[in-house]
Structures are given as structure tokens and as C-alpha cells.
Amino acid sequence: AGAELSAKLCRRQDINEGAAQPRRAAVFNPYTEFKEFSRRQIKDMERMFRLYDSGRDGYIDLMELKLMMEKLGAPQTHLGLKNMIKEVDEDFDGKLSFREFLLIFHKAAAGELEEDSGLLTLAKLSEIDVSIEGVKGAKSFFEAKVQALSSASKFEAEIKAEQDERKREEEERKHRRAAFRELKSAFTQ
């Protein structure tokens, strides 16, 4: 135990002196890494990821991606699917993790995907619907998209909206329970 503690203290001292680099944490937080997406967008993408992750292993493999693309109405060849995975596969494991799945949408927003890439079809699912968002006085759709993505404290507003929704649902449950108790007391007398 003494040798282990000594090694950790030496490493900490090297880091403090600049002789060593601190290790990055293996924890992935999509909300801090992909700040251009709102909480709701990330949750929607996570829901979609889980829907197509039929193996429930936290990855979308080649066959799951094939099924996804077929359901989206844009079937791909085997080679096309492999190229799609290779385009965002950072750990070279031949499958998509949730982080790599979000990277598809990140690259699409930055315009880094090729026009003929099947990934562009996937990315179009995250487009802002102009009929819902409106253009908000912007000169074009793209300015409206930038404005919607960069709205200040969007996470706080979304969290507050989620909390308000939960409170409203709880109030409705309380009212239903009270109405049920009233009905129940009428029958028990």
C-alpha cells in the first residue's frame, strides 16, 4: 500500500510541475461535450439510439445500422454501411457508441458530412422544423437555426420546463386520487 501511495504522490507532483499530463476521465457527458444541442435534442437522440440498439449493448453495430437506415427509407449497401461507421468511428471498434452517434449530428451541423453520405440522412432527423420554430425575424432559415441553437441558458429553461411538467402531472394525480376517494366514500356508506 505504501508503494502505491508513493507512486500516486509522485505522479501528482509530476503533474503539478508540468512533467506529466493528467489522465482524462473516461466519463462521457453529452451535455457538456455537445453544447450546440439542447437537452431535449440530446434526449431525443438518445431515445432514437436506444430504439435501434436492439442488442442493448450500448452500441449500434452494422446490422442494427442497416435496419435503422432501412426504416428511415434510405437503405445502404454493406460497403456503404461500413463507410458510414468508419466516418465517425473514433475507437475503431466497427460499431457506433452513443458519443459517436451524437458526433454524426455534430458533423452535420458543422457541414463536415459529404452530400452522398448515408450519415446525412440520419442527421436530417435533427433539423429544426420551421413551422414550429418560425424564423423569429431572422433573414433566413439558417440564421433561425443558429439562433435556436445558441439561445442563452437553454438548459436551465428546459430543466425548469421539465420540472414544471412533473409538478403539473403530480397535481393531476393528486386531484384524481381525491376524486377517487370521494367516489369510494359514496359507495362505502
Side-chain angles (χ1 to χ4, degrees):
E4 184 180 346
L5 180 60
S6 176
K8 286 187 180 198
L9 289 173
C10 286
R11 173 139 174 80
R12 175 54 53 199
Q13 186 175 3
D14 289 344
I15 290 171
N16 289 341
E17 292 173 355
Q21 294 292 326
R23 293 184 192 110
R24 283 191 53 168
V27 177
F28 164 62
N29 185 343
Y31 302 109
T32 57
E33 189 169 340
F34 295 97
K35 294 178 181 173
E36 67 270 18
F37 300 126
S38 67
R39 284 177 47 89
R40 183 160 308 271
Q41 287 174 317
I42 290 175
K43 285 183 179 187
D44 289 342
M45 287 183 230
E46 185 176 15
R47 205 172 300 121
M48 184 191 323
F49 181 83
R50 287 186 182 154
L51 175 70
Y52 292 108
D53 178 20
S54 58
R56 303 286 181 247
D57 58 353
Y59 294 96
I60 292 180
D61 62 20
L62 190 69
M63 293 311 291
E64 292 167 340
L65 183 61
K66 180 181 188 306
L67 179 68
M68 176 192 288
M69 295 307 291
E70 286 172 356
K71 285 189 177 181
L72 290 174
Q76 300 286 318
T77 64
H78 189 75
L79 188 59
L81 293 167
K82 282 188 170 185
N83 287 336
M84 285 172 63
I85 290 176
K86 190 185 337 180
E87 199 169 338
V88 291
D89 191 13
E90 293 183 325
D91 53 3
F92 305 109
D93 61 354
K95 48 192 176 181
L96 298 174
S97 66
F98 181 58
R99 183 186 183 287
E100 293 164 343
F101 187 72
L102 287 174
L103 202 55
I104 294 169
F105 298 100
H106 172 75
K107 284 186 170 192
E112 297 173 10
L113 293 178
E114 297 175 18
E115 282 297 318
D116 60 343
S117 170
L119 293 179
L120 205 55
T121 305
L122 263 176
K124 287 182 180 178
L125 295 173
S126 71
E127 288 293 318
I128 291 181
D129 188 357
V130 179
S131 63
I132 295 172
E133 292 293 327
V135 289
K136 298 179 184 170
K139 292 179 183 173
S140 70
F141 167 74
F142 296 105
E143 288 177 359
K145 186 171 182 173
V146 168
Q147 186 179 11
L149 291 175
S150 65
S151 62
S153 68
K154 60 186 174 189
F155 288 130
E156 292 174 11
E158 289 177 1
I159 291 171
K160 178 129 177 68
E162 288 173 6
Q163 288 172 344
D164 292 342
E165 179 69 20
R166 280 193 291 257
K167 285 179 185 178
R168 188 185 58 74
E169 288 172 357
E170 185 62 33
E171 287 295 320
E172 286 177 9
R173 272 190 229 114
K174 285 180 184 178
H175 290 293
R176 284 194 308 263
R177 286 182 194 142
F180 179 77
R181 283 189 203 116
E182 275 185 43
L183 223 71
K184 183 180 172 185
S185 67
F187 284 107
T188 57
Q189 290 177 352

